[in-house]
């Protein structure tokens, strides 16, 4: 019965191919012994790998010898590795548990590549997945954390996830196969052991089938995540502007935001705040290590963080000036005649040279900067002008201006020149400024 259950699970999740070699992580415990022998029984080509971490004295050596004897008896190739786990933990300033995990999976991947194996098979079963759900719930988690252990993570696969510990032990008993027990698993000194030895037995006094109930719930949540991650949903949110109207139409805006923004390094708390802000609070912002998100009037806007804001560039005379990242500003001075066409390019402006006092400076907009937009009377705050133009907070902060020697804004780059510097019938000499992108 267990053979059939494992075979169906492998097929359902496309975990193993019969023609490939599969590396089995063999500890000597019931789970890994069952995994090795079941896959062998199902006709897969398997090799085993055992790690001796030298953490339990004679018991560690006993486990190694058991694996040697088991594989010799079944004519299964076995690879052995020895580690000074405590020295590794001290060197890398990590816990013993984390050190053992790093060493184990690092070795398995190197060995997999060396022998040309398609997968590394580990023996997590149903209770392991339920323990993971409970641990994540205790720590605090999103819906992904309630889906338990995934059947596949890259080249690491888990063919036994659908079977219980009892199923495993009964199958080994039927086959007349023994196994060893890690005594550290019987002491509630770490979180997972506390959940296994204390929490789950307590929950079973309320519901004897609690492990199956939690496992089935995790499967339903896995389906919910799969639906939420469907291309239909994700394709709508791949741009850098996330419409409030679209987000409000979703059953869970917070969940959509989490899947869009978690890969950019944003935390659950930040995403929760963003979801609350879609009811209309412009001017809010959040940062991860690589990106910034701000609220505009009708959307969340995402942008990469700048490695370094561009420094002001002083331009005392005609020439081409390097700004940053290959961007340049070209300054030209020439006589003007009334028959000359006026540039309509937003990135190239013509100004009356007599109205502009050199040197010019290209810089980011400052708080309090004012100018008189072309065609208007009276000055206006640059920030108000950009607000009227529906520019978001990021665009406002990154807006470039050109000022003259008296620190007057003569050009809002990409927008408008100052009306007082415009070309008129009296203009005899002009300055042309051209912003050049790479």
């Amino acid at each position: 019965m267990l053979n059939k259950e494992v075979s169906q699970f492998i097929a359902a999740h496309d975990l193993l191919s019969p023609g490939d070699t599969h590396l089995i992580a063999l500890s000597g415990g019931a789970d890994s012994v069952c995994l090795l022998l079941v896959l062998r029984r199902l006709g897969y080509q398997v090799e085993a790998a055992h790690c001796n971490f030298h953490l339990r004295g004679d018991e560690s050596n006993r486990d190694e010898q058991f694996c040697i004897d088991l594989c010799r008896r079944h004519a299964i190739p076995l690879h052995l590795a020895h580690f000074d786990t405590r020295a590794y933990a001290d060197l890398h300033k990590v816990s013993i548990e984390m050190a053992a995990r790093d060493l184990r999976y690092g070795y398995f991947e190197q060995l997999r590549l060396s022998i040309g194996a398609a997968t590394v098979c580990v023996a997590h079963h149903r209770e392991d997945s339920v323990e993971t759900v409970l641990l994540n719930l205790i720590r605090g988690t999103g819906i992904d954390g309630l889906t338990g252990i995934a059947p596949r993570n890259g080249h690491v696969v888990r063919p036994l996830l659908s079977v219980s510990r009892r199923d495993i032990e009964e199958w080994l008993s039927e086959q007349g196969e023994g196994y060893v027990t890690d005594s550290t698993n019987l002491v509630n000194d770490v979180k997972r052991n506390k959940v296994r030895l204390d929490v789950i037995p307590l929950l079973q006094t309320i519901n004897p089938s609690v492990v199956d109930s939690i496992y089935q719930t995790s499967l339903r949540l896995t389906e919910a995540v799969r639906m939420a991650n469907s291309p239909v949903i994700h394709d709508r949110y791949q741009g850098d502007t996330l419409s409030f109207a679209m987000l409000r139409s979703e059953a869970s805006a917070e969940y959509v935001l989490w899947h869009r923004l978690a890969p950019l390094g944003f935390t659950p708390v930040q995403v929760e705040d963003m979801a609350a802000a879609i009811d209309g609070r412009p001017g809010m912002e959040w940062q991860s290590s690589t990106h910034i998100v701000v609220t505009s009037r009708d959307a969340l806007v995402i942008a990469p963080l700048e490695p370094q804001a561009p420094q002001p560039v002083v331009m005392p005379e005609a020439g081409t000036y390097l700004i940053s990242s290959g961007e340049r500003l070209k300054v030209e001075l020439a006589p003007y005649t009334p028959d000359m066409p006026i540039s309509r390019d937003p990135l190239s402006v013509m100004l009356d040279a007599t109205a502009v006092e050199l040197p010019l400076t290209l810089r980011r907009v400052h708080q309090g900067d004012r100018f008189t937009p072309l065609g208007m009377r009276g000055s206006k705050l640059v920030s108000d002008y950009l607000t009227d133009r529906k520019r978001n907070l990021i665009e406002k902060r990154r807006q470039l201006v050109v000022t003259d020697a008296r620190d007057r804004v003569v050009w809002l780059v990409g927008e408008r020149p100052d009306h007082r510097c415009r070309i008129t019938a009296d203009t005899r000499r002009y300055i042309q400024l051209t912003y050049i992108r790479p």
Side-chain angles (χ1 to χ4, degrees), residues 320-337:
T320 300
Y321 296 85
L322 181 65
I323 303 167
S324 63
S325 303
E327 297 172 341
R328 294 168 290 155
L329 188 70
K330 187 176 182 181
V331 181
E332 300 173 274
L333 291 125
Y336 178 78
T337 58

Side-chain angles (χ1 to χ4, degrees), residues 271-318:
V271 171
E272 184 178 353
D273 287 345
M274 293 178 205
I278 69 174
D279 289 329
R281 282 184 277 168
M284 299 185 69
E285 65 176 276
W286 302 265
Q287 285 190 21
S288 70
S289 59
T290 59
H291 285 75
I292 182 172
V293 172
V294 302
T295 55
S296 66
R297 290 180 175 180
D298 56 5
L300 288 170
V301 181
I302 310 165
L305 289 177
E306 293 182 301
Q308 185 175 1
Q311 296 299 307
V313 177
V314 178
M315 300 167 290
E317 58 188 4

Side-chain angles (χ1 to χ4, degrees), residues 345-364:
D345 184 345
L347 295 178
S348 185
V349 67
M350 295 170 67
L351 307 174
D352 190 320
T354 61
V356 177
E357 186 177 335
L358 296 176
L360 301 177
T361 300
L362 178 76
R363 61 168 172 79
R364 286 279 174 85

Side-chain angles (χ1 to χ4, degrees), residues 250-269:
E250 300 289 351
S252 172
E254 183 175 339
Y255 189 69
V256 171
L257 288 173
W258 172 250
H259 278 272
R260 176 65 179 88
L261 297 172
L264 302 181
F266 290 94
T267 67
V269 172

Side-chain angles (χ1 to χ4, degrees), residues 37 187 255 262 274 316 376 438:
L37 299 181
V187 182
Y255 189 69
M274 293 178 205
M376 296 180 61

Side-chain angles (χ1 to χ4, degrees), residues 392-409:
N392 62 59
L393 184 61
I394 298 170
E395 291 170 327
K396 288 181 179 181
R397 288 180 181 172
R398 297 181 181 180
Q399 177 64 50
L400 293 171
V401 297
V402 175
T403 60
D404 70 357
R406 290 185 283 171
D407 202 30
R408 296 179 304 164
V409 175

